[in-house]
């Protein structure tokens, strides 16, 4: 791993290992955006395979906890443990999602972007979670576009509405 650690990585750079999963997060975020929802996508990976994926569906389902990370975990179904998984997310996790990551013992989180919303990276790191931020340009642009177009929905999503 070159240049990516628990600090911000080189802008636009990510390892080959992360690229397909970050790309899938973007696709899921874009799906949510086209449905009129918040553009946040997430995948849970074990042994290089996606075992659950999801996207923010708060608006679509009228469900206040249907965040992208929660949807991915729900779609992964029951797991005996999470100690060998990586959670990828298109946007830095909110406190609810960060708490769930800690509760389930997910040891590694790869965040596509935290420029539009600096979530709870320090909270995760302080609890032993390895955090990588890869500054994916697609995810940064999509979230910035959504915030500009739908500020009221964004503020609702982050509980500032």
């Amino acid at each position: 791993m070159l240049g990516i650690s628990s600090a911000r990585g080189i802008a636009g750079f990510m390892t080959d290992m992360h690229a397909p999963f970050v790309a899938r997060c973007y696709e899921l975020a874009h799906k949510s955006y086209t449905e009129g929802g918040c553009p946040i996508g997430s995948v849970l990976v074990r042994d290089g395979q996606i075992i659950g994926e999801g996207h923010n569906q708060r608006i679509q389902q009228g469900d206040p906890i249907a965040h992208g990370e929660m949807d991915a975990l729900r779609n992964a179904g029951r797991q005996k443990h999470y100690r060998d998984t990586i959670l990828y997310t298109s946007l830095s996790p909110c406190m609810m999602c960060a708490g769930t990551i800690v509760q389930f013992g997910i040891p590694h989180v790869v965040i596509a972007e935290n420029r539009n919303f600096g979530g709870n990276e320090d909270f995760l790191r302080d609890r032993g979670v390895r955090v990588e931020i890869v500054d994916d340009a697609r995810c940064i642009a999509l979230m910035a576009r959504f915030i500009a177009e739908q500020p009221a929905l964004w503020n609702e999503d982050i509980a500032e509405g």
Side-chain angles (χ1 to χ4, degrees), residues 28-40 55-61 142-143 146-147 149-150 153-154 157:
L28 292 161
H30 193 266
K31 175 180 173 32
S32 186
Y33 176 82
T34 62
E35 294 173 351
C38 298
I40 303 165
H55 61 90
N56 187 300
Q57 297 188 62
R58 291 184 68 257
I59 306 304
Q60 299 92 314
Q61 295 183 1
L142 181 61
M143 183 54 70
F146 173 76
I147 292 169
E149 292 173 351
Q150 300 284 348
L153 286 180
W154 172 242
D157 192 69

Side-chain angles (χ1 to χ4, degrees), residues 46-125:
R46 174 178 284 132
D47 296 326
Q49 300 294 316
I50 295 173
I51 62 171
E53 64 179 34
H55 61 90
N56 187 300
Q57 297 188 62
R58 291 184 68 257
I59 306 304
Q60 299 92 314
Q61 295 183 1
D63 180 349
I65 62 169
H67 287 207
E69 299 90 339
M70 303 299 259
D71 196 40
L73 291 166
R74 181 180 294 121
N75 289 328
R78 292 176 57 204
Q79 303 291 313
K80 290 184 180 187
H81 62 81
Y82 296 85
R83 64 181 167 261
D84 58 349
T85 62
I86 302 173
L87 183 72
Y88 291 81
T89 181
S90 64
L91 185 68
S92 187
C94 71
M95 183 53 77
M96 176 180 68
C97 295
T100 301
I101 291 163
V102 170
Q103 176 69 29
F104 286 178
I106 297 170
H108 189 177
V109 176
V110 176
I111 299 168
E113 81 106 336
N114 72 344
R115 293 182 187 208
N116 288 293
F117 178 74
N120 296 281
E121 296 96 1
D122 289 338
F123 171 85
L124 292 168
R125 287 184 191 111

